Amino acid sequence: DTGVSQDPRHKITKRGQNVTFRCDPISEHNRLYWYRQTLGQGPEFLTYFQNEAQLEKSRLLSDRFSAERPKGSFSTLEIQRTEQGDSAMYLCASSTSNTEAFFGQGTRLTVV
Amino acid sequence: GQQLNQSPQSMFIQEGEDVSMNCTSSSIFNTWLWYKQEPGEGPVLLIALYKAGELTSNGRLTAQFGITRKDSFLNISASIPSDVGIYFCAGQRYGGSQGNLIFGKGTKLSVKP
């Protein structure tokens, strides 16, 4: 499978715990994006990497959220001190400079 | 965050019928994209539009980039049961970065066999 891969697919955590999600983009894609999608809404942009550089962050990305792409390949998104409002689908997408974004299957986070 | 105005919110149609949905914005967009999402999955790109007035087809799907650059529509002809899902429009705002797509709230399509 050469698509965007996200792990885990589902995560249930207790409020206050930290969680980390992983995204493996399509191998030749230098751009990687994180989006968040809540029920009944479209995806909302969180952040964007070109290679290892984080070029843009949304105001939705509070200081409890941090994303990294240390070697310009896979990326991680960490949420510290989770809150119930963090429950959502977290989507990763990747692209080249000349293609549109291809999305992964997402990680469904439930904070209880 | 900002979202596009997408309508209708939902559609219940008979197999074989044609479907039309649209998306509008108060801002000018450089690119319009249409995605389909099925339950528990990520959005899948259907059609990408890059120029005002552009009309593009992908099988039974046809989409257009509005002349004003503030709207787009998607048509599905002769619907079939596997067309069921949520269709999202998305756009790259003029002056915005490529990766920062603005999405509509989606049109949920149900097809009765």
Side-chain angles (χ1 to χ4, degrees), chain A residues 10-14 19 108-112:
Chain A
H10 304 273
K11 177 72 177 179
I12 299 175
T13 191
K14 290 184 178 179
V19 294
R108 168 74 65 189
L109 173 66
T110 302
V111 182
V112 297

Side-chain angles (χ1 to χ4, degrees), chain A residues 58-93:
Chain A
S58 160
R59 282 174 289 181
L60 292 175
L61 210 67
S62 77
D63 56 6
R64 295 185 298 105
F65 287 68
S66 62
E68 294 183 345
R69 194 182 184 199
K71 296 181 181 178
S73 57
F74 73 92
S75 175
T76 58
L77 178 67
E78 181 183 18
I79 309 174
Q80 296 183 326
R81 304 180 303 281
T82 52
E83 302 172 355
Q84 285 190 320
D86 297 331
S87 296
M89 173 82 89
Y90 289 85
L91 293 162
C92 176

